[in-house]
Every structure is written in C-alpha cells, then in structure tokens.
Amino acid sequence: MADSTASSLSETATGQAHPLLEVRDLAKRFGGLKAVDHCSFQVERGTITGLIGPNGAGKTTMFNLITGFIKPDSGRILLDGQDIGHLRPDEIFMRGMCRTFQIPREHGTMSVLENLMLVPAGQTGELWWNALLRPGQVRSEEARHLHKAQEVLEYLQLTHVQHEYAANLSGGQKKLLEMGRTLMADPQLVLLDEPAAGVNRTLLQSIIKNIQTMARDRGITFLLIEHDMNMVMSLCNPVIVMSEGRKLAEGEPEAVRNNQAVLEAYLGGQYATAAG
Ligand SMILES: Nc1ncnc2c1ncn2[C@@H]1O[C@H](COP(=O)(O)OP(=O)(O)O)[C@@H](O)[C@H]1O
Ligand SMILES: [Mg+2]
C-alpha cells in the first residue's frame, strides 16, 4: 500500500494551483423545486470537509451531481481543475473520486471479501484481450488485488467476517464495508453520505479514527455529509452549511456552530432536534 500512497501523492502534487474539487454556481431543479440553487464551494486537498444542513437542504443531490449520478441544469464541477460535469459516474470514479451511499449498497449474496474484490481499480484483468495475451499478468494482478483486499479488511477490522455474506453484517459493518470499497480504488477524494447514521458508538469511534488515519497517512481528501454534530465538530474543518439548495455559511466548526443564520436554518427546519 505504501507504493500506491506515494504515487497518489505525486499525482496530486501536480495540480497544486487548483483546489481538489470546485463546484461553481451549480443548479438542479426537480420540477418546480430548486434542490440545488446556484451553489458554489471548494474542497481543498488534504481536508476533511463537512457538508451539513437541515433535512432537504440539497446535500445528497449535491453528492449525486458531483459524482455524475445526475446532471446539473447549469454550473460547473471541477476535479483538480478539470471539468468533470459531462462524465459518467464510472469515469469520475476512475479519476479517483469515490462515494458511499446514505443507504449502503453492498452485494448481499456475496461475501465481504468478494464485495471488495469486485471494485475495479483499473485492473488489467478487466480487459479480455489481456486475459488472452498476458494471462500471467492477470493472475499476478488478481493476487495483488486479493492482497490489497486483505489489507483493507485488516485495516477496518473486518477480517473476522470476510467470508460472511455481506447481507449478514450489522448496519455499522456495512458502512465500514462501503468505506473499504472506496479504499480498494485508491481514491484521492472520498464522499461519505452520513457515515454515522445507524452506527453504534463503538463502531462510530472506529469509523472516525479510520477517516482520520486515511486522511493523514494516505493523503485522502474527504467531503462528508453528517447530521451527528459531535462527529462533525470533532472531525471536520472546514464545515460548509447548505440550506434550501444554497451555501449558507462556511468556516471553522466553532464559528459555523455559532453562526446566527445557521442556527435559524436549523431551528426553522424539522431537523432542529436531530442536529442539536
Ligand atoms: N430524484 C428526486 N426527485 C424529486 N425531488 C427530489 C429528488 N431528489 C431529491 N429531491 C428533493 O430535493 C430536495 C433536496 O433533497 P436532498 O438532496 O436529498 O436533501 P438532503 O440530503 O440535504 O436532505 C428535497 O426537497 C428532496 O425532496
Ligand atoms: Mg441526504
């Protein structure tokens, strides 16, 4: 894993002038509803950036736009200075951006290990002509893939359930598996949609620790949506606040927490209690 860290670090070093991710004046309507309403923000390399806001603020829609699952009506999305607004989700994934879903999307009838092995990391084995022309290379690629999956399992402390059907995991373990799937792809940017939701306290601590280590040791940048304010306050800096499709505030967690407009947006919304 040390090798892949070194290469992803040198790659990111080439684009120092740009923020890793930039969203410019992005807009998306669903019928008459402005889910994302001319929203702009940047995510700087190496940060764990929080994206918060009351229920219905447009956070998940923003993730769906950034990762190519839905197309914006207008505005731009730049990854490392390059426009990715026209790319498909798999193309965006191949550029090093991975996401987890608010509801984990594991393959329930496959084992935990198989779920990790499924993740395409630009592996040679995918190209059928490589299998014909270079079978040896494909085999060693597979072996490396397996080795990596085992490392990821160990890292996330899921080794003891590697042969379980993914469907049998607890909610928290499924979240860890989702995180593992992003790690298999050597991402530079990981988007997490409510990693703490439905997770017990012990597992939550391990998720927080994992995010911090991945950011520190592997140089991965995180953008995460979260309603658990303790998690946001202890993990994220900066914090971006969305409300009604727009960016309402941005800054250090303490400043954002005490921002009057932010307090009002939460109090006005139905999430007032859950966010407190
Ligand atoms: N596919 C969709 N079709 C219609 N409306 C949607 C769709 N996705 C989201 N919305 C609406 O867009 C708004 C923002 O939703 P969402 O991005 O899920 O908010 P958040 O994640 O901040 O809670 C909500 O009013 C939601 O009902
Ligand atoms: Mg959401």
Side-chain angles (χ1 to χ4, degrees):
M1 264 197 204
D3 288 341
S4 59
T5 309
S7 73
S8 68
L9 283 178
S10 65
E11 271 160 30
T12 55
T14 57
Q16 285 303 341
H18 318 281
L20 182 54
L21 176 72
E22 183 175 0
V23 169
R24 270 192 215 159
D25 208 26
L26 210 59
K28 179 69 186 179
R29 280 169 172 269
F30 294 113
L33 179 89
K34 293 175 180 171
V36 170
D37 188 12
H38 298 277
C39 189
S40 302
F41 62 81
Q42 302 185 350
V43 176
E44 299 296 338
R45 254 180 215 85
T47 60
I48 303 175
T49 299
L51 183 60
I52 67 169
N55 201 19
K59 305 179 298 296
T60 296
T61 305
M62 179 58 81
F63 267 25
N64 287 336
L65 290 168
I66 294 172
T67 51
F69 282 79
I70 56 176
K71 291 292 159 203
D73 298 332
S74 60
R76 297 179 75 196
I77 304 157
L78 305 161
L79 182 65
D80 211 358
Q82 291 189 314
D83 202 321
I84 57 164
H86 58 290
L87 298 181
R88 294 190 312 262
D90 58 308
E91 293 171 323
I92 294 173
F93 178 89
M94 288 316 242
R95 291 194 183 201
M97 193 199 299
C98 297
R99 71 174 296 181
T100 65
F101 290 87
Q102 199 163 345
I103 317 279
R105 295 189 173 185
E106 75 287 347
H107 297 269
T109 55
M110 296 176 96
S111 75
V112 169
L113 181 62
E114 285 166 339
N115 266 271
L116 291 181
M117 297 286 290
L118 265 185
V119 177
Q123 74 264 52
T124 341
E126 282 209 335
L127 307 172
W128 62 270
W129 60 86
N130 271 318
L132 287 175
L133 301 176
R134 287 174 238 148
Q137 186 179 344
V138 174
R139 263 199 305 278
S140 72
E141 194 94 25
E142 245 169 44
R144 269 202 295 141
H145 217 50
L146 175 63
H147 180 68
K148 188 166 173 186
Q150 283 164 339
E151 273 186 336
V152 167
L153 286 168
E154 209 167 300
Y155 184 73
L156 297 175
Q157 297 174 8
L158 288 176
T159 306
H160 61 294
V161 291
Q162 62 176 314
H163 299 302
E164 278 287 340
Y165 284 129
N168 295 343
L169 298 183
S170 73
Q173 287 173 325
K174 286 179 182 173
K175 299 240 167 185
L176 284 175
L177 176 58
E178 283 246 314
M179 223 176 271
R181 284 159 57 89
T182 69
L183 281 183
M184 285 298 291
D186 275 331
Q188 47 172 340
L189 175 62
V190 174
L191 278 61
L192 302 173
D193 198 345
E194 301 200 21
V199 171
N200 73 42
R201 288 283 126 185
T202 322
L203 217 43
L204 181 60
Q205 284 316 310
S206 112
I207 288 177
I208 291 178
K209 212 175 84 233
N210 280 321
I211 295 172
Q212 283 167 331
T213 346
M214 286 188 259
R216 195 185 54 226
D217 298 351
R218 304 188 60 194
I220 300 175
T221 304
F222 286 89
L223 176 63
L224 68 102
I225 297 175
E226 190 45 71
H227 280 301
D228 183 316
M229 283 302 133
N230 291 330
M231 179 165 179
V232 171
M233 292 298 146
S234 61
L235 190 60
C236 302
N237 192 7
V239 175
I240 297 166
V241 189
M242 279 184 77
S243 175
E244 298 178 347
R246 292 170 170 268
K247 184 176 79 180
L248 183 66
E250 179 175 17
E252 301 210 344
E254 238 355 85
V256 162
R257 191 188 4 215
N258 298 321
N259 180 307
Q260 195 55 35
V262 173
L263 290 171
E264 279 164 20
Y266 270 102
L267 290 173
Q270 48 188 309
Y271 244 96
T273 46

